[in-house]
Structure formats: structure tokens, C-alpha cells
Amino acid sequence: MNDTQYNLNFEKLCSELKLGELLSSPKPISGGLLHRMYAIETTQANYAVKALNPQIMIRPTAVQNYIDSERIATVAAEHIHAQPAKRLMGASMHNIDNQFYFIFDWIEGQRLEQDEVTINNSSLMGTILADIHKTDFTQLELDRSQETNSKKIDWMFYLNKGKNENSEWIEILDSNMDKLYEWSTKAKSSSSMLASDKVISHRDLEPKNVMWRQGKPIVIDWESAGYINPMHDLVETAVYWSVDSSENINKEKFLAFIGGYKKRVGSLTANWEVVLDHGFAGKLDWLEYSLKRSLWIECTDIEEQLVGTTQVIWTLEALEQYENMISDMKNWLNS
């Protein structure tokens, strides 16, 4: 078990950043699977506070990556409705006793569940993704040297370690072992083929990362923002906005998203087979990270370990479902 733990001190956070005095205990809220989010009410205002995962923040490039993600959000907010972190005391990210935080103004709005997404929602989000891709971020002078292609993953290492610890996912991981290496080969090959064409984007524009207020979307949670192949980002995001809660894809919503994107950029030219193969990459990376959490290789506490275990099973199922979608999506994109 790693000694890196969350070290939350909201009173000191509010005091040092002059946010006002807390009126009640911070309330945990849904905020993704990597970090922890809290709603706080002070004498000045209501805020959403993101406490960044300490295990992630010890990575050599993590601090700069998160600073850059908020710089991207700030520029994007000049072109779309987006919510960057608040700049306080001259900074967007704050370190209080080795615990990093982002502070956001509280948004009165709602997220759409997957089954609530309409064709119009999908089309609108397609245009918003295009607007992000068309945004000029050159002023930020972001470092591209940290970009990496899909790496080789030793899945047998995790299977054997899981067997030693009697992990609950060993059967489903074992049964997918051949597929994992097949998907990894496709991800690595497609990553190399798409590497030369990159834009800066949100990179995680799922329904959970969009707040709707009076029918208008506000894009939140920019922590994953960075360079990405635009057609891969397009297809992956179109899937986010066209699958239901059972991960079944809806053709009309998928094509509505693509159509919304094309309204801004015109016709599309791509090798869709390569683009679709690259869709395995992010899921495989997430699977490996979930395995590390489940096995206490990169994990802060039991709560995170349980999330890792759940996500291993969910991601393996998602990979199978994605493979089953590819044929239909390829036909839709080529038609």
C-alpha cells in the first residue's frame, strides 16, 4: 500500500484563498473517478472544490499538465461556454500542505444521464467539439514532447498478480487475454499512424462533463485537455453522446453528433478503420490504471481500491462492447 493519502483541510484552504468562512461541512459530490469533489458553502459564495488525487500528483509531469489543462480551458472559454478553475492569488491550482486543489464557482444546472441525451443535444455537442478544435491555442506554447504513443502493456503481469491476491476480476481478465493483446496491437499501430495530426481538445467531453443551464451547455472538468488526433476525438466523443446506459449505440444520435461537427468544419476525410482501431487505446490505458488501483500499485486508500476493482470489470466489458460497435460505426462513417 502506498503512503500517499488525501490531506484535506478546507478551513485552511478557505482562509488562505480568502473564500470566506465555512458555513457547513463540505459535502462530497459526484466528480469523476480520478479525484474527489466537494460542495462548500462559505460566507462569500458557494463553490465546487476538486481535491486532486495525491497518487497522481506525484507523477513527474502531473503538476504542469494540470496547470496547462486550465490554461486550455481559459482560452476555450473565449469561444464556447466553458468553466475554468477560478484564478485566486494569481494561480488556478493551489497547494495546501501538499494537497492540490482546483476551485470552481458553483453552477446551478444539471448533467444529462445517458438515456436523457436527445438527438438535438448530440448535434449541439458536435458543433461545440468542432469549435474547440478550431480554437487557436498557439499562444499557450504547450510542450508536445510529453506526447506518447500507445505503450506495450504486460497484461500477464497483472493477471498473475491478481491470481496471487485472489482478485475478483481474474476470470474475466483471463478469458480476454488473447483479445487484450490483439486490441493492444491495433491501438499501437493506429496510434503511430495518427500521431502526426493533432489538435488541442477537451479529450473527455462526456455527458458527465457538461452542465446544462436553461438549455445551454457549459463544458466543465478540463483536466484531461491536451493534444489529440481530431478524428479520433470526434468518433470517441460521438460515441459518448450516442450510447445509452446499457452501452448500446444509437445511430441517429451518433450521426447527429457527426453532422453537428461537419456544420462547422465541412466534409471529413479519414481512414475510419484506423481511427476506430485507435478507440481501443484510451480504454486499454484506463484498464491498466484500474488494475494498478485494484492491486494497490497506485492507490491512496480502500475507497479508491474498490473503484479500481469495479472499473477493471466495467472496462473489460466496455472493450468488448466497443469491438462489437466498430462494424456499424465504420459503415455509418463511410456512407
Side-chain angles (χ1 to χ4, degrees):
M1 185 184 303
N2 196 289
D3 292 332
T4 305
Q5 304 286 321
Y6 281 89
N7 181 30
L8 305 176
N9 189 333
F10 292 102
E11 290 82 3
K12 189 171 183 179
L13 177 72
C14 291
S15 175
E16 292 203 4
L17 299 182
K18 298 179 171 54
L19 298 176
E21 295 181 10
L22 284 172
L23 295 177
S24 58
S25 298
K27 298 178 178 62
I29 55 177
S30 173
L33 298 169
L34 284 178
H35 311 287
R36 294 183 182 169
M37 289 289 294
Y38 298 86
I40 66 169
E41 182 182 6
T42 77
T43 51
Q44 291 188 14
N46 294 338
Y47 303 100
V49 176
K50 177 173 288 185
L52 298 176
N53 188 320
Q55 184 67 57
I56 292 175
M57 298 310 292
I58 63 175
R59 298 175 184 174
T61 60
V63 170
Q64 189 59 51
N65 286 346
Y66 283 116
I67 290 172
D68 286 344
S69 73
E70 285 304 317
R71 295 172 66 214
I72 292 169
T74 299
V75 173
E78 298 173 5
H79 303 274
I80 65 168
H81 293 293
Q83 187 197 46
K86 290 178 68 66
R87 284 191 64 82
L88 300 163
M89 316 294 284
S92 295
M93 186 167 66
H94 307 282
N95 183 356
I96 307 294
D97 297 333
N98 293 318
Q99 172 66 58
F100 290 91
Y101 301 89
F102 285 131
I103 316 296
F104 303 91
D105 287 320
W106 185 261
I107 297 176
E108 290 295 343
Q110 66 176 38
R111 293 180 174 92
L112 295 178
E113 298 296 331
Q114 288 173 295
D115 293 333
E116 296 176 321
V117 172
T118 67
I119 290 175
N120 287 338
N121 294 145
S122 296
S123 176
L124 177 56
M125 293 310 301
T127 64
I128 289 173
L129 182 68
D131 288 340
I132 297 172
H133 286 182
K134 288 163 63 71
T135 298
D136 183 0
F137 292 99
T138 54
Q139 61 182 288
L140 300 180
E141 298 182 339
L142 297 178
D143 182 10
R144 296 190 62 161
S145 65
Q146 296 175 14
E147 294 178 55
T148 57
N149 293 332
S150 295
K151 61 185 182 299
K152 185 175 182 179
I153 299 172
D154 184 358
W155 299 110
M156 284 301 300
F157 165 79
Y158 296 109
L159 177 61
N160 290 332
K161 191 167 179 61
K163 287 179 177 178
N164 290 338
E165 300 189 14
N166 198 30
S167 300
E168 64 182 82
W169 39 256
I170 53 177
E171 286 189 15
I172 186 172
L173 186 67
D174 195 11
S175 66
N176 280 285
M177 194 56 56
D178 289 341
K179 281 290 186 182
L180 285 170
Y181 284 106
E182 177 187 332
W183 295 331
S184 296
T185 298
K186 289 183 176 181
K188 185 172 180 58
S189 174
S190 59
S191 178
S192 298
M193 296 175 71
L194 299 175
S196 62
D197 184 13
K198 296 286 182 76
V199 296
I200 290 175
S201 188
H202 183 282
R203 300 201 305 189
D204 193 24
L205 195 56
E206 297 188 49
K208 67 181 176 64
N209 288 331
V210 178
M211 295 291 290
W212 295 81
R213 186 169 60 190
Q214 298 178 337
K216 295 182 178 180
I218 304 169
V219 180
I220 63 173
D221 287 350
W222 288 78
E223 68 200 45
S224 297
Y227 283 103
I228 190 170
N229 176 269
M231 294 300 96
H232 164 59
D233 196 30
L234 169 62
V235 171
E236 187 165 71
T237 312
V239 171
Y240 292 153
W241 288 88
S242 57
V243 294
D244 61 22
S245 56
S246 299
E247 297 298 318
N248 297 311
I249 191 164
N250 179 290
K251 178 181 179 180
E252 288 72 26
K253 292 179 185 178
F254 181 86
L255 291 178
F257 191 99
I258 302 295
Y261 187 90
K262 289 167 70 174
K263 286 179 184 177
R264 290 287 198 265
V265 303
S267 60
L268 304 175
T269 302
N271 183 330
W272 295 117
E273 183 173 356
V274 172
V275 171
L276 290 164
D277 280 350
H278 195 50
F280 289 112
K283 296 173 180 61
L284 292 168
D285 288 343
W286 181 253
L287 175 60
E288 183 184 28
Y289 178 58
S290 298
L291 286 164
K292 288 179 178 179
R293 293 170 110 179
S294 180
L295 293 167
W296 290 100
I297 297 171
E298 288 188 24
C299 191
T300 58
D301 54 30
I302 187 63
E303 180 181 343
E304 187 173 3
Q305 190 268 339
L306 292 172
V307 169
T309 297
T310 301
Q311 284 298 299
V312 168
I313 297 168
W314 181 89
T315 308
L316 284 165
E317 293 172 349
L319 280 159
E320 293 183 67
Q321 289 169 323
Y322 179 74
E323 182 181 51
N324 292 333
M325 292 179 192
I326 286 179
S327 177
D328 283 341
M329 289 193 291
K330 183 179 176 181
N331 289 334
W332 299 340
L333 290 163
N334 283 323
S335 63

